[in-house]
């Protein structure tokens, strides 16, 4: 997944590093030359110096080739404008904005931001869960947001089609709790097979979701 990050301060740096560690391709736009150099040197990723809330710099940095844009500057109005341009001009699939004033969260959502997050610590986790693959759908947050119940739509040509759960790699931090097949609910056991078209209900720590999707060949590149 190619992700444009507008804002190269602490939050943007953390976002880029986390996404990079998980195999994604972050691209950063930042006004401050010193911050640009720090991000580029530390992470060895593309960094553009300029105003990420303008069409000119977003285009120059390759916004049109990104699957997601995350605006994490310290100004909510800048984050809003950036997300609107990304969506309307460059047709970016998913936009995420850091909200510095929690009172603005609902306003940003109403004005077209897909995900408005006031807690910056969870930005990377939320972004991966929402954008990484269309095959996964969040059902319920657990344990203060550190675990999730989610549903996976098994695609056609699933590489483990016909294999039992005992034969499929599953993280120790994830549990398969139900399978829906042709409208019928199945309570899985070790010998239960996974078939193309199944809907698999899982509970996992958020740190294990990406690992599971990678192991099953469902994560976006």
């Amino acid at each position: 997944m190619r992700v444009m990050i507008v804002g190269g301060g602490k939050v943007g740096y953390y976002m880029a590093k986390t996404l990079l560690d998980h195999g994604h391709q972050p691209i950063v736009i930042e006004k401050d030359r010193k911050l640009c150099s720090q991000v580029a040197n530390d992470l060895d990723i593309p960094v553009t110096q300029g105003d990420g809330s303008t069409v000119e710099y977003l285009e120059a940095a390759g916004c049109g080739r990104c699957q997601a844009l995350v605006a994490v500057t310290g100004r909510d109005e800048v984050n809003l404008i950036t997300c609107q341009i990304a969506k309307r001009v460059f047709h970016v699939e998913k936009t995420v904005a850091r909200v510095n004033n929690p009172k603005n969260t609902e306003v940003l959502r109403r004005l077209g931001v897909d995900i408005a997050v006031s807690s910056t610590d969870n930005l990377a986790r939320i972004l991966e869960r929402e954008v990484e693959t269309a095959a996964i759908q969040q059902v319920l947050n657990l344990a203060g947001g550190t675990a999730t119940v989610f549903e996976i739509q098994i695609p056609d040509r699933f590489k483990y089609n016909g294999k039992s759960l005992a034969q499929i790699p599953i993280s120790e931090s994830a549990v398969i709790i139900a399978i829906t097949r042709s409208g019928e609910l199945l309570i899985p056991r070790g010998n239960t097979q996974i078939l193309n078209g199944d809907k698999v209900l899982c509970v996992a720590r958020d740190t294990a979701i990406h690992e599971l999707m990678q192991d099953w060949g469902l994560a976006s590149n």
Side-chain angles (χ1 to χ4, degrees):
M1 179 173 63
R2 187 178 288 109
V3 182
M4 178 74 65
I5 300 173
V6 178
K10 290 182 180 179
V11 177
Y13 179 94
Y14 165 77
M15 278 288 302
K17 185 176 188 306
T18 301
L19 292 171
L20 191 64
D21 289 344
H22 286 188
H24 300 293
Q25 303 172 48
I27 302 168
V28 173
I29 302 179
E30 166 57 45
K31 284 184 176 181
D32 186 275
R33 181 182 297 274
K34 184 177 180 180
L35 289 175
C36 287
S37 297
Q38 180 182 350
V39 174
N41 292 335
D42 289 356
L43 303 181
D44 193 25
I45 61 173
V47 178
T48 297
Q49 182 186 1
D51 185 352
S53 64
T54 65
V55 173
E56 176 187 0
Y57 282 104
L58 287 172
E59 183 175 21
C63 186
R65 300 190 303 273
C66 294
Q67 287 75 52
L69 177 140
V70 188
V72 291
T73 75
R75 297 175 60 190
D76 291 350
E77 62 272 26
V78 171
N79 294 340
L80 170 61
I81 292 170
T82 301
C83 288
Q84 289 178 327
I85 293 174
K87 180 71 73 174
R88 297 174 184 177
V89 178
F90 298 101
H91 309 293
V92 173
E93 297 171 19
K94 188 73 68 172
T95 57
V96 182
R98 171 192 180 187
V99 184
N100 300 279
N101 183 347
K103 293 181 180 179
N104 293 332
T105 301
E106 187 56 36
V107 174
L108 266 65
R109 289 173 181 158
R110 288 203 305 266
L111 292 176
V113 176
D114 292 316
I115 308 169
V117 187
S118 59
S119 176
T120 58
D121 292 340
N122 294 326
L123 275 169
R125 172 176 57 79
I126 291 171
L127 176 65
E128 278 202 322
R129 188 168 60 212
E130 295 286 343
V131 179
E132 182 173 82
T133 172
I136 184 172
Q137 179 177 345
Q138 178 184 351
V139 177
L140 179 68
N141 277 330
L142 300 174
T146 61
T148 301
V149 178
F150 60 99
E151 184 181 74
I152 300 173
Q153 175 68 57
I154 301 300
D156 293 336
R157 300 180 183 178
F158 180 50
K159 68 177 182 178
Y160 293 114
N161 180 54
K163 298 290 186 180
S164 69
L165 289 178
Q167 297 174 302
I168 298 175
I170 300 174
S171 168
E172 293 183 358
S173 297
V175 177
I176 309 301
I177 56 178
I179 298 171
T180 303
R181 180 178 300 154
S182 300
E184 181 182 357
L185 181 68
L186 307 176
I187 304 301
R189 301 288 186 266
N191 61 354
T192 303
Q193 293 177 310
I194 298 291
L195 303 179
N196 295 338
D198 284 352
K199 291 183 178 179
V200 179
L201 195 65
C202 307
V203 59
R205 294 184 182 277
D206 283 336
T207 52
I209 295 175
H210 178 78
E211 179 183 346
L212 182 67
M213 301 306 286
Q214 290 279 19
D215 289 343
W216 286 17
L218 301 177
S220 300
N221 294 322

